[in-house]
Amino acid sequence: MGTEGSTVLSPLWRGLPPIAPSAVSNSASCALPPRFEAVRTARTFTRTTLQGWGLGGLFDDVALVVSELVTNSLRYALPSEPISGGVYEPPVRLHLMRWTSRLVCAVRDPSEESPTAGEADASAECGRGLFLVESFSDTWGWHPLAGALHGKVVWALFRLPREQHA
């Protein structure tokens, strides 16, 4: 992932024991189309990646978080109208990064608006996504992208069980 990985994650390390962002032991990334079928693509990508890293047992929790983050990007972060001048493919991208003791899933999208947790009533079918992200991950957050990149990254961190440390 190169420099982008450290740019994407630089604010993530505040308050955590230091790990050099450039010391990712494994990373994978995929572009997602601006359609809700992208959530299925993200889950499949997550399953394949986690299995390849020997972390298949974490799939259920990680996939739920990935699904929520991608759904939020598709629902709230994409412009309603394509940008003039041709075909517009918004830069929604899923990043999975593994360190010895941590796994991070991060979704980059073109909006600079902060994600906000909804106040869903008991009968609502939506509005609980960030609550689920908070419940199933060890911590989560977001930050705007810096420099020439526009948009934001919303990320969730999972501490790996000791037996998963490689």
Side-chain angles (χ1 to χ4, degrees), residues 115-131:
T116 53
E119 292 282 330
D121 63 35
S123 62
E125 291 187 20
C126 61
R128 294 181 187 85
L130 292 176
F131 174 76

Side-chain angles (χ1 to χ4, degrees), residues 17 24 27 43 47-49 60 63 65 75 84 89 96 117 148 156 161:
V24 175
S27 67
R43 290 176 65 87
R47 179 184 304 278
T48 302
T49 302
D60 290 339
V65 167
R75 180 173 286 149
S84 61
E89 190 72 21
L96 299 174

Side-chain angles (χ1 to χ4, degrees), residues 1-7 9 13 17-27 53 96-104 160 166:
M1 182 172 359
T3 342
E4 184 178 325
S6 57
T7 302
L9 294 175
W13 306 115
I19 287 183
S22 61
V24 175
S25 60
N26 289 301
S27 67
W53 293 344
L96 299 174
M97 292 148 284
R98 179 191 180 184
W99 287 262
T100 303
S101 61
R102 299 177 191 152
L103 173 72
V104 171
L160 299 178

